[in-house]
Amino acid sequence: MKVKLVKKILAANDRIAEANRRLLSDAEVFSLNLMSAPGAGKTTLLSRTIGALGGKLRFGVIEGDIQGTHDAEVISAHGVPVVQINTEGACHLDANMINEILPQLPLEEIDVLVVENVGNLVCPAEFDVGEDAKVMLLSITEGDDKPLKYPLMFQKSEALIINKIDLVPHLDVSLEKIRRDAQGLNPKLRIFEVSCKSGEGMEAWYGWLQGRKESGSLHGAL
Ligand code: MG
Ligand code: ZN
């Protein structure tokens, strides 16, 4: 019984996600679902990306947080449209939350919409919100066991950004193990190793994002 219920909820979510995807593609908006554990650096990645590419691409952001507006305020300082969803306890965003908030964004003035999901390595990967691509951010400080412990997010993402690589010399972690395990779960996964703090490695990510936006309507078929 319980399994059936969960399946029903996911089926309903997928229908609303399809409607979101149509709405966004009609407005020629390329959308990303950015997922990670809390503290991996999603907002910093986003700030830096908007700072670097903001002259070429018009960004819009949906901030998902259990409560508060801290990250939305950080992003809003870049002068891009931002809306905040407070899930009031829910540990992921779903398609309906996105559907309800999309009318508040000037979609005609947005090329790339980034949905910053609630910090959580588990259920955000289960809920399609209507995005063109899922991108996962993993901080090296989380350890090298995460791909095998939380496989779904690695399997569902098109790109994995490994952040805080400037800290590798201070940690007992293996970048090689993360790469090997993540690609074992998802052979098509693109992996970027970056430091959002120093800027190291960010150019490759910017290049991927621009190229992926160009092929946007492929809906994850890459
Ligand atoms: Mg954040
Ligand atoms: Zn959840």
Side-chain angles (χ1 to χ4, degrees):
M1 192 60 204
K2 200 172 179 198
V3 171
K4 258 189 190 161
L5 181 62
V6 169
K7 274 193 179 154
K8 241 185 200 169
I9 290 170
L10 287 175
N13 184 78
D14 285 352
R15 277 195 298 277
I16 302 170
E18 253 341 290
N20 292 347
R21 191 171 283 115
R22 219 169 309 126
L23 186 76
L24 291 167
S25 88
D26 286 351
E28 292 178 37
V29 175
F30 172 68
S31 57
L32 284 184
N33 183 356
L34 181 60
M35 308 178 293
S36 79
K42 292 187 296 301
T43 309
T44 309
L45 172 81
L46 206 42
S47 275
R48 201 149 186 142
T49 303
I50 293 169
L53 297 180
K56 294 174 193 160
L57 295 170
R58 299 171 301 170
F59 284 88
V61 176
I62 295 175
E63 280 291 338
D65 287 288
I66 289 174
Q67 62 179 48
T69 57
H70 175 271
D71 294 351
E73 285 160 28
V74 170
I75 297 300
S76 160
H78 292 276
V80 302
V82 184
V83 289
Q84 175 80 54
I85 296 174
N86 278 156
T87 60
E88 282 155 11
C91 48
H92 59 269
L93 296 176
D94 64 32
N96 196 46
M97 295 176 196
I98 302 301
N99 190 267
E100 284 179 353
I101 210 158
L102 278 178
Q104 294 183 33
L105 280 167
L107 296 182
E108 301 301 329
E109 293 161 28
I110 294 173
D111 300 314
V112 177
L113 175 66
V114 182
V115 178
E116 184 183 329
N117 217 311
V118 178
N120 176 351
L121 282 182
V122 187
C123 36
E126 293 172 21
F127 287 83
D128 184 358
V129 298
E131 72 279 345
D132 291 306
K134 289 181 168 70
V135 171
M136 177 181 179
L137 183 64
L138 176 77
S139 167
I140 193 77
T141 55
E142 293 166 48
D144 53 22
D145 57 352
K146 292 301 168 290
L148 296 184
K149 279 191 175 171
Y150 300 93
L152 188 66
M153 196 168 284
F154 292 86
Q155 285 162 336
K156 290 227 171 174
S157 295
E158 284 187 37
L160 167 67
I161 304 170
I162 304 174
N163 189 22
K164 308 188 191 180
I165 56 162
D166 50 302
L167 296 177
V168 168
H170 308 283
L171 300 168
D172 190 16
V173 293
S174 163
L175 265 172
E176 170 55 30
K177 175 171 162 55
I178 294 174
R179 267 198 304 263
R180 192 177 58 236
D181 290 345
Q183 253 152 358
L185 291 163
N186 178 357
K188 286 191 281 188
L189 186 68
R190 288 293 311 270
I191 300 181
F192 303 99
E193 295 170 13
V194 310
S195 165
C196 289
K197 191 174 175 203
S198 72
E200 185 182 351
M202 294 294 281
E203 290 299 328
W205 153 246
Y206 299 151
W208 181 86
L209 177 58
Q210 291 177 89
R212 189 60 187 81
K213 188 240 171 294
E214 287 311 307
S215 59
S217 57
L218 293 175
H219 294 330
L222 287 183

